[in-house]
Amino acid sequence: MANWVTGRVTEAKYWTDTLFSLIVDAPIRPFTAGQYAKLALEVDGVRIARAYSYVNAPSDNQLEFYFVIVPNGKLSPKLANLQVGDTLQITDEAAGFFVLDEIPECKNLWMLSTGTAIGPFLSILQENKGLERFDNIVLLHAVRYQKDLSYLPLMKQLEKSLAGKLRIVTVVSRELAEGSLYGRVPALIENHQLEEFVGLPIDAENCHIMLCGNPEMVRDTRDMLKNTHGLIKHLRRKPGHITSEQYW
């Protein structure tokens, strides 16, 4: 059973009219990069809770979460109204297995995300523990519009600090954007445009793919990787090449 503690908003960042981040101070237990917590507010006497991944590294006690406002949502529009000093509830213990310890040995690790699902990857990369076992890491962030690349400056900073190991790819699906690939992730895999852009092959011998985000993207990309590259879902009892986490 979840143990709820009180968190206080120390900073609110409004990226667009639908995307925002909150930085929260709260007495939580240690977590592993890639995990999530549940956040909650009381609405008309009822606790409304949803799961959100940590964006910050576990070594950073300023807890950061990245949100999209869901139209007519029960929680996200209310979270968007929080100001510095306001409080919310948070589970003190994190959950989830979307962590590096669950990833089998491989040379090339691909981190593919859509929207706010960039969060767990940023946590993993900022923590910078366990990355030495990979020769190459590719971080892909797919969004609808260029303005939705909220964390691109941080991504570029990480690419610089992990020079020679980390490669950044941005994908925009509803407009042409300089420096970004155009289209949907499954299509970019099918036509090999993603591999050509990065300069690395996606293959069963050297790669593991971490997928996080929109359930449709996760499903379609997993199917495409299976059909075109022979990759299969990774399970503890049956090792494979694809580890995924859906955001709803």
Side-chain angles (χ1 to χ4, degrees):
M1 185 175 180
N3 182 32
W4 294 92
V5 296
T6 298
R8 188 173 300 276
V9 177
T10 60
E11 186 179 350
K13 305 174 185 178
Y14 301 98
W15 308 105
T16 69
D17 56 353
T18 59
L19 293 169
F20 67 101
S21 298
L22 295 177
I23 296 180
V24 178
D25 183 39
I28 64 163
R29 301 181 185 182
F31 70 94
T32 302
Q35 289 190 306
Y36 62 86
K38 285 189 176 180
L39 304 183
L41 292 172
E42 191 169 295
V43 180
D44 298 327
V46 178
R47 177 185 285 147
I48 305 297
R50 298 288 186 271
Y52 297 100
S53 293
Y54 288 101
V55 175
N56 60 292
S59 54
D60 184 353
N61 60 11
Q62 292 299 297
L63 314 178
E64 185 164 359
F65 301 93
Y66 186 32
F67 309 89
V68 61
I69 298 176
V70 179
N72 303 313
K74 293 183 178 180
L75 183 59
S76 59
K78 294 177 173 57
L79 289 171
N81 289 329
L82 294 180
Q83 303 294 321
V84 173
D86 289 341
T87 60
L88 48 71
Q89 297 296 300
I90 179 172
T91 49
D92 70 340
E93 190 169 358
F97 299 98
F98 198 68
V99 299
L100 287 187
D101 285 349
E102 296 291 327
I103 304 302
E105 292 302 317
C106 64
K107 290 183 178 180
N108 302 325
L109 180 64
W110 295 70
M111 299 174 163
L112 311 184
S113 66
T114 57
T116 57
I118 187 72
F121 294 138
L122 294 176
S123 179
I124 290 169
L125 293 171
Q126 288 184 96
E127 185 68 355
N128 194 10
K129 290 183 178 179
L131 303 183
E132 64 279 350
R133 64 188 179 100
F134 308 109
D135 292 345
N136 300 287
I137 300 173
V138 179
L139 174 62
L140 179 149
H141 190 198
V143 297
R144 294 179 179 180
Y145 301 100
Q146 186 176 25
K147 66 180 182 179
D148 300 331
L149 294 168
S150 310
Y151 285 93
L152 184 56
L154 175 57
M155 293 166 66
K156 289 183 175 180
Q157 180 183 326
L158 288 166
E159 186 177 38
K160 185 177 181 179
S161 65
L162 294 168
K165 183 179 293 285
L166 178 63
R167 308 179 193 201
I168 296 297
V169 181
T170 55
V171 178
V172 178
S173 64
R174 296 195 180 181
E175 64 180 3
L176 294 175
E178 185 177 356
S180 296
L181 292 173
Y182 172 76
R184 295 185 66 246
V185 175
L188 294 171
I189 291 172
E190 183 179 25
N191 62 23
H192 300 279
Q193 192 174 349
L194 176 58
E195 294 165 272
E196 293 171 5
F197 184 85
V198 174
L200 286 173
I202 296 175
D203 56 42
E205 183 179 354
N206 298 302
C207 295
H208 194 89
I209 315 292
M210 296 180 76
L211 291 173
C212 191
N214 181 308
E216 182 179 349
M217 184 281 285
V218 170
R219 182 192 66 239
D220 292 349
T221 302
R222 189 170 55 219
D223 290 346
M224 186 61 65
L225 288 167
K226 178 180 179 180
N227 295 334
T228 62
H229 292 74
L231 306 191
I232 61 173
K233 186 176 180 179
H234 175 68
L235 300 170
R236 284 181 173 177
R237 65 181 182 275
K238 186 180 180 182
H241 319 98
I242 305 170
T243 298
S244 62
E245 178 134 293
Q246 297 181 178
Y247 253 42
W248 61 83

